[in-house]
């Protein structure tokens, strides 16, 4: 079963390495990088927990307590949905704009509404926790001046200790912005 949210399509093929926008279909939303090991490990841990909860639900069902089993099934469904949502978190781009997908909230900014997409040095959250460290963040500057949280940072779950992947991803997102931003 293909999982399109886990792949960056042809972005990392050898023949597409020199192309800034290597995707065939620029209308669909794409994440121009692969999810990082921290994000995948957290999702895998949630899925492992969900499998144990489903096993417990099956045992409770065979024991005859349907109310307890339904609670376990609901808890497992929440864990699976959380793992899938965790894998979708990140920056997504298309011809229409840039989208910052968070765990609870998604923000989309059209390319026409952006003044710049750039990498800046600033304090960033370490793995999304309250602790901040000095790092780099890819930010979108809106024409209206309204602030937008950083799209990606070099200390988030996708790029912690993966500086080269962060540079490649930010260059790709900036290239999308340069290609489709007007004015």
């Amino acid at each position: 079963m293909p999982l399109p949210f886990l792949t960056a399509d042809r972005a990392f093929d050898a023949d597409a390495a020199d192309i800034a926008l290597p995707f065939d279909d620029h209308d669909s939303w794409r994440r121009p990088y692969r999810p990082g090991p921290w994000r995948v490990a957290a999702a895998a841990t949630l899925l492992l927990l969900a499998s144990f909860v489903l096993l417990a639900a099956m045992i409770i069902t065979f024991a005859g307590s349907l109310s307890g089993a339904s609670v376990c099934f609901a808890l497992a469904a929440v864990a699976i949905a959380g793992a899938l949502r965790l894998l979708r978190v990140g920056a997504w781009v298309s011809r229409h704009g840039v989208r910052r997908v968070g765990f609870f909230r998604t923000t989309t900014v059209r390319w026409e509404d952006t003044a710049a997409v750039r990498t800046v040095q600033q304090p960033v959250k370490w793995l999304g926790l309250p602790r901040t460290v000095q790092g780099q963040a890819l930010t979108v500057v809106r024409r209206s001046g309204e602030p937008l949280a950083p799209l990606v940072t070099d200390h988030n779950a996708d790029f912690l200790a993966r500086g080269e992947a962060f540079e490649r991803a930010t260059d790709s997102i900036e290239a999308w912005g340069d290609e489709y931003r007007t004015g």
Side-chain angles (χ1 to χ4, degrees):
M1 178 173 90
L3 300 174
F5 53 84
L6 289 179
T7 63
D9 289 341
R10 298 183 312 136
F12 300 102
D13 288 348
D15 59 345
D18 58 345
I19 302 170
L21 306 177
F23 302 110
D24 294 331
D25 182 14
H26 289 221
D27 288 328
S28 61
W29 291 96
R30 308 239 184 224
R31 179 174 29 203
Y33 58 90
R34 293 186 174 112
W38 289 92
R39 186 171 312 284
V40 173
T45 303
L46 271 175
L47 291 174
L48 183 65
L49 175 67
S51 70
F52 287 126
V53 173
L54 285 172
L55 180 64
M58 183 182 70
I59 292 170
I60 292 171
T61 301
F62 289 142
S65 175
L66 293 179
S67 63
S70 63
V71 169
C72 286
F73 279 122
L75 183 63
V78 167
I80 291 169
L84 292 176
R85 184 64 182 179
L86 186 62
L87 289 174
R88 293 204 42 99
V89 170
W92 295 72
V93 292
S94 81
R95 176 185 321 255
H96 308 290
V98 62
R99 181 174 284 174
R100 181 187 178 275
V101 177
F103 193 76
F104 294 111
R105 185 174 178 209
T106 299
T107 306
T108 303
V109 180
R110 296 180 327 168
W111 290 122
E112 296 84 31
D113 298 336
T114 63
V117 179
R118 62 177 174 236
T119 305
V120 296
Q121 285 278 352
Q122 68 179 34
V124 296
K125 291 184 177 186
W126 183 77
L127 288 177
L129 299 172
R131 177 182 173 209
T132 60
V133 295
Q134 189 64 27
Q136 296 182 45
L138 182 68
T139 60
V140 173
V141 179
R142 293 183 182 179
R143 291 188 195 275
S144 65
E146 186 179 343
L148 180 68
L151 294 176
V152 294
T153 68
D154 62 345
H155 286 81
N156 70 3
D158 291 322
F159 300 111
L160 187 65
R162 295 177 58 220
E164 185 178 316
F166 175 76
E167 293 297 326
R168 197 170 48 236
T170 56
D171 289 345
S172 177
I173 295 171
E174 288 172 358
W176 279 80
D178 292 341
E179 177 76 19
Y180 292 112
R181 190 173 52 248
T182 58

